[in-house]
Amino acid sequence: QVQFVESGGGLVQPGGSLRLSCATSGIIFRLAAMGWYRQAPGKQRELVARITNGGNTYYADSVKGRFTISRDNAKSTAYLQMNSLKPEDTAVYYCHTIPIATPAYWGQGTQVTVSS
């Protein structure tokens, strides 16, 4: 079964840092492009970062320079290092292979709350 399990979220003050993890199963991780998405209340889910199997990365303008996506093929795990966090980064963060297939296999996500 395909499964994505996000972890590492929590409450952090503005300017703080957080490192999210995405443990995967049921996929050939080393061949997959991975993406991190987020969804704030009342907003659509949006792509914030992606990484190809070869390590090429993309970032949304809103997080460029602050977030870093990475992967550990030995652990079949993707990561999102988030620095200089802002209140507008508050959202539930999800990971998934890219492109999103039908059916998709969205996990529960991990809540990131940036507040003083």
Side-chain angles (χ1 to χ4, degrees), residues 37-40 43-47 92 94 100 104 106-107:
Y37 299 77
R38 68 186 181 189
Q39 187 168 29
K43 299 293 183 66
Q44 293 288 320
R45 180 182 283 126
E46 64 173 342
L47 177 69
V92 178
Y94 304 87
I100 304 298
W106 299 109

Side-chain angles (χ1 to χ4, degrees), residues 10-82:
L11 175 63
V12 65
Q13 294 185 341
S17 297
L18 222 47
R19 180 174 161 93
L20 308 184
S21 296
C22 171
T24 74
S25 60
I27 66 170
I28 306 176
F29 182 83
R30 61 185 171 85
L31 301 181
M34 297 296 301
W36 280 98
Y37 299 77
R38 68 186 181 189
Q39 187 168 29
K43 299 293 183 66
Q44 293 288 320
R45 180 182 283 126
E46 64 173 342
L47 177 69
V48 298
R50 65 177 180 236
I51 185 168
T52 69
N53 61 340
N56 294 320
T57 59
Y58 160 86
Y59 301 95
D61 288 342
S62 58
V63 308
K64 194 171 299 182
R66 301 187 297 119
F67 290 11
T68 303
I69 188 171
S70 61
R71 63 191 297 150
D72 186 337
N73 288 347
K75 296 181 177 180
S76 296
T77 300
Y79 303 94
L80 186 67
Q81 178 67 47
M82 305 184 295

